[in-house]
Amino acid sequence: MGFFDRFSTDIGIDLGTCNTLIYVRGKGIVIDEPSVVAVEKGTKKIVAVGSDAKQMLDRTPGNILAIRPLADGVIADIDSCQILIEYFIKKITPKHQLIKSLRMKIGIPSCITEVERRAVVEAALKAGAKEVEVVAESLAAAIGAKIPIYEPAGHMVCDIGGGTTEVSVISLGGMVVTHSIRIGGDKFDEAIVSHIRNNHNLRIGKGAAERLKIQIGSAAPEKTIEKMEIKGVDAITGLPRRLEIDSVEVREALKEPVTKIVEEVKNVLGLTPPELAADIIERGIIMTGGGSMLRELPKLISKEAGVPVILVERPLECVALGAGQAFELFKDMTADRMIYDSLS
């Protein structure tokens, strides 16, 4: 049988600020695309979704609007979010196959409000899901990272996404301590944009800032200093201009959001019961999410917190993997109730 003949109706979704990942039970990650929708103004006709739409950000003509449906880890535009989910579901489902019972588990930050959580569920239901459950992102990330969450031992997870950072201590299938802040990869990009504008009078887009972050960005000093040329618009003359910037300056630009994440990790450690803290000293902090891939960030957190830090092998995929695998892991209502209680 082919892929679509064996299509499962149970899926896990990481509905991220920057990227949406979809896990199909038994198939793995089948969608990993930017969370962007491009529509015609007025008619709201869909022009592009995902990778194609991201290329249109800040480049669209007047009649086309490129939208990021999520901001800071939550839905900012419920209609475009519904379009996003529906498009990806159709992309992985054959046209001839009618899915009568589509179940979704969606990873969400624990810091969101009840209204924001309902918006996630509503968007998924409108996109065709018959049953929707939400899972705290750090719990989903722990499952995706293959952490034995039901052990009577403390496990600490730091999940840095595009819009939020969630730090949690997990034991016996529930979250003992969890804090979430609306700082992630997007704030890294914004910090670079702001720094270059303030220090060089050069306006650059978030795309250019993201490239700087990925290619030469770091959270702590490295042995070599790298340089990169960027292009933008002079804030005074309004004319195009080039600028060479080095990794030291990019690190300085990232200092404020990076420091806030480090402080959040230390804060959660300070609230952790002593026995569980002892377990974390032995096992270390597990880092997941795209933001955790900033160079030297795990090393900096380890130095500041005094605890080993381990970056998982596939940090970008952990939440989607965990949300999907939760179908098998949480087989009774007691376990599912732990998820909801942790978000209250």
Side-chain angles (χ1 to χ4, degrees):
M1 290 190 294
F3 174 86
F4 291 120
D5 295 325
R6 295 179 284 110
F7 181 76
S8 168
T9 56
D10 293 344
I11 68 173
I13 301 180
D14 177 5
L15 199 59
T17 303
C18 296
N19 290 282
T20 294
L21 286 86
I22 296 180
Y23 169 93
V24 176
R25 189 160 58 155
K27 308 296 180 299
I29 302 292
V30 295
I31 292 289
D32 180 359
E33 293 198 38
S35 302
V36 185
V37 176
V39 297
E40 284 186 359
K41 288 183 180 177
T43 65
K44 296 292 184 181
K45 180 181 177 182
I46 302 170
V47 176
V49 178
S51 299
D52 293 336
K54 184 178 181 180
Q55 296 177 12
M56 299 180 181
L57 280 174
D58 301 322
R59 291 188 174 94
T60 56
N63 65 321
I64 296 176
L65 185 64
I67 305 166
R68 294 182 66 175
L70 295 104
D72 296 335
V74 298
I75 293 177
D77 187 319
I78 193 167
D79 292 332
S80 57
C81 187
Q82 176 193 334
I83 290 170
L84 186 79
I85 298 173
E86 191 172 4
Y87 174 84
F88 289 143
I89 295 302
K90 286 181 178 179
K91 192 171 182 178
I92 62 175
T93 309
K95 293 180 181 179
H96 65 271
Q97 183 175 340
L98 178 64
I99 295 182
K100 295 181 180 179
S101 180
L102 179 63
R103 301 196 303 166
M104 295 183 189
K105 286 190 186 288
I106 303 176
I108 62 171
S110 63
C111 64
I112 71 173
T113 66
E114 183 63 29
V115 172
E116 290 166 339
R117 178 166 65 174
R118 286 176 183 166
V120 173
V121 174
E122 183 182 342
L125 291 171
K126 286 183 176 180
K130 301 301 179 186
E131 180 183 326
V132 181
E133 292 179 349
V134 294
V135 185
E137 279 186 342
S138 53
L139 194 58
I143 297 167
K146 299 180 180 178
I147 293 173
I149 64 169
Y150 281 118
E151 280 187 346
H155 301 276
M156 190 169 185
V157 177
C158 176
D159 180 66
I160 307 175
T164 60
T165 293
E166 186 160 299
V167 186
S168 301
V169 176
I170 299 166
S171 179
L172 292 170
M175 294 192 294
V176 181
V177 184
T178 183
H179 277 203
S180 186
I181 55 175
R182 302 198 180 198
I183 294 175
D186 268 6
K187 286 292 188 289
F188 292 168
D189 299 341
E190 290 172 13
I192 293 172
V193 170
S194 178
H195 176 89
I196 291 175
R197 170 73 185 256
N198 293 336
N199 290 273
H200 299 283
N201 289 319
L202 185 71
R203 291 189 286 114
I204 63 169
K206 287 187 178 180
E210 183 182 29
R211 289 190 293 275
L212 274 173
K213 174 185 69 180
I214 293 171
Q215 293 182 33
I216 66 172
S218 68
E222 297 181 290
K223 293 181 179 179
T224 59
I225 297 176
E226 298 178 88
K227 294 183 179 182
M228 180 176 165
E229 185 183 80
I230 54 172
K231 304 177 187 71
V233 175
D234 191 292
I236 298 173
T237 67
L239 298 175
R241 178 158 65 87
R242 298 171 185 263
L243 173 70
E244 186 176 75
I245 189 168
D246 63 36
S247 54
V248 175
E249 190 167 357
V250 176
R251 184 176 71 249
E252 184 63 28
L254 293 169
K255 186 175 181 179
E256 183 178 343
V258 165
T259 299
K260 288 180 178 178
I261 290 173
V262 172
E263 289 303 314
E264 194 65 21
V265 171
K266 291 163 69 176
N267 184 31
V268 171
L269 278 172
L271 295 172
T272 303
E275 290 300 319
L276 297 181
D279 294 332
I280 294 167
I281 291 172
E282 289 294 322
R283 299 164 183 263
I285 300 169
I286 304 301
M287 291 193 66
T288 64
S292 64
M293 298 170 68
L294 178 66
R295 293 191 317 218
E296 301 297 317
L297 182 55
K299 181 179 177 181
L300 177 65
I301 291 176
S302 179
K303 178 183 176 182
E304 293 291 326
V307 177
V309 173
I310 301 99
L311 177 63
V312 299
E313 187 176 345
R314 297 159 70 183
L316 287 164
E317 300 179 0
C318 284
V319 172
L321 286 170
Q325 291 165 3
F327 283 103
E328 289 293 326
L329 196 59
F330 300 120
K331 291 184 178 180
D332 59 80
M333 285 305 294
T334 302
D336 273 345
R337 181 50 47 193
M338 288 181 184
I339 301 173
Y340 294 119
D341 286 346
S342 68
L343 293 170
S344 62

